[in-house]
Amino acid sequence: MPTHQGKLTKLRPITLGFREEPERPVMGLCLTVDNAVCQAPHAHPRGQLLYASHGLVRVSTPAGAWLVPPSQAVWIPPHVVHEVALPGAVTLHSLFVAEAAAAPLFDQCSVIQVSSLLREMILRAGRLGTDYEPDTPADRFMRVLLDEMAQATVTEIGLPMSTEPRVKRVMDALAERPGLVFSMAELAQVACASERTLARLFVKAVGMSVGDWNRRLMVQHALTLLDAGHSVQRVAITLGYTESSSFIDMFRGVMGQAPGQFVGQRGARHGGVS
């Protein structure tokens, strides 16, 4: 799903990711932005957990892209080149984890489920800030937070990417029109390959079928529309579904919950205090 970065505010680089200070295992901050994007792809020695308590956060790396709602967070290991985009109004909580402390965590970019406990811990870490001393209550809290992060459930909603020319052409065509229904024959024409060859190339390149990849793409587009306030029925129509029930089944299969649950959670979050 394309992000129109030309209309987004360019965020200044955040220096916390480059502070070594292993005695401070986690450094947290919170910022509220509206339609923002980082200035350029970048990497830093600290790992980073990105969590939006309001709105959506999109992370892109050469290996894939993730657009996640407030029920989930994105983990970026140390030294991984990435870009971050924040479409719409977003309250973003960012935890920067020292390289040594990040070693027991996930070794690749991952989307994790944010439980009620983990959510409150992420918010508190932001309030504790960056300048606490070793062996203090704040230090001990941050180490418990790391334990909680390590036990979080990993979800599979990312969009793996590929530079294989034929596969990339198909990905670009699907991403440009996420609500347009393509037949496999039409996609094969885009790829300049046979249907069988395209199916084989896609699985080899990204580890899933064209259909599974496209369903994840549509869910990412649906998340953006739902967060903007569109009804489930309207989103289903936009994505080419003639019946809302089929869209709901597809969404649940990818996200593990119905879109109506996401809408309900969104309403509760926007009506509360974070």
Side-chain angles (χ1 to χ4, degrees):
M1 182 179 57
T3 300
H4 301 293
Q5 295 189 359
K7 300 179 181 179
L8 301 180
T9 300
K10 301 288 186 179
L11 294 176
R12 294 180 179 178
I14 297 173
T15 59
L16 289 184
F18 299 92
R19 287 172 59 177
E20 294 186 6
E21 302 173 49
E23 70 276 10
R24 296 185 175 93
V26 181
M27 296 181 177
L29 63 81
C30 173
L31 64 156
T32 300
V33 297
D34 194 355
N35 288 318
V37 65
C38 61
Q39 288 186 339
H42 62 283
H44 31 69
R46 280 184 173 255
Q48 185 177 16
L49 185 76
L50 286 163
Y51 171 66
S53 59
H54 293 310
L56 302 169
V57 57
R58 180 181 178 88
V59 175
S60 302
T61 75
W66 299 263
L67 179 73
V68 298
S71 59
Q72 295 156 346
V74 182
W75 166 250
I76 307 168
H79 305 292
V80 171
V81 177
H82 60 279
E83 292 182 90
V84 178
L86 307 165
V90 181
T91 301
L92 182 69
H93 305 266
S94 189
L95 305 182
F96 291 92
V97 180
E99 191 166 0
L105 300 177
F106 316 100
D107 60 1
Q108 58 186 356
C109 286
S110 303
V111 177
I112 63 172
Q113 198 71 27
V114 176
S115 65
S116 297
L117 173 59
L118 182 55
R119 179 185 187 276
E120 294 306 317
M121 294 183 79
I122 292 171
L123 270 56
R124 185 180 179 191
R127 293 193 293 269
L128 290 174
T130 64
D131 296 324
Y132 56 89
E133 296 300 323
D135 200 26
T136 60
D139 174 64
R140 292 190 288 272
F141 172 83
M142 294 299 195
R143 296 181 189 278
V144 173
L145 169 58
L146 288 171
D147 288 340
E148 191 66 22
M149 287 170 56
Q151 297 177 55
T153 300
V154 176
T155 62
E156 298 294 337
I157 66 167
L159 273 178
M161 308 303 286
S162 173
T163 57
E164 204 287 330
R166 290 164 290 185
V167 172
K168 187 176 184 299
R169 283 198 293 270
V170 171
M171 288 179 168
D172 289 344
L174 292 170
E176 187 66 30
R177 299 287 299 275
L180 188 63
V181 178
F182 289 94
S183 69
M184 195 63 180
E186 290 171 326
L187 292 176
Q189 287 184 334
V190 171
C192 299
S194 69
E195 294 180 46
R196 181 177 296 181
T197 298
L198 174 60
R200 177 179 55 80
L201 285 171
F202 219 94
V203 172
K204 181 179 179 181
V206 299
M208 66 182 67
S209 69
V210 178
D212 286 342
W213 191 91
N214 192 41
R215 279 186 282 276
R216 288 196 189 186
L217 171 74
M218 287 194 291
V219 164
Q220 292 210 358
H221 190 59
L223 288 172
T224 302
L225 297 175
L226 290 168
D227 192 69
H230 293 272
S231 69
V232 172
Q233 183 178 13
R234 181 62 186 169
V235 173
I237 293 171
T238 300
L239 292 177
Y241 285 85
T242 56
E243 295 185 4
S244 296
S245 59
S246 298
F247 164 70
I248 291 169
D249 289 343
M250 183 277 295
F251 189 97
R252 184 187 284 113
V254 175
M255 292 293 293
Q257 66 178 36
Q261 291 175 279
F262 172 76
V263 172
Q265 293 167 359
R266 174 186 178 276
R269 290 189 304 268
H270 284 262
V273 178
S274 294

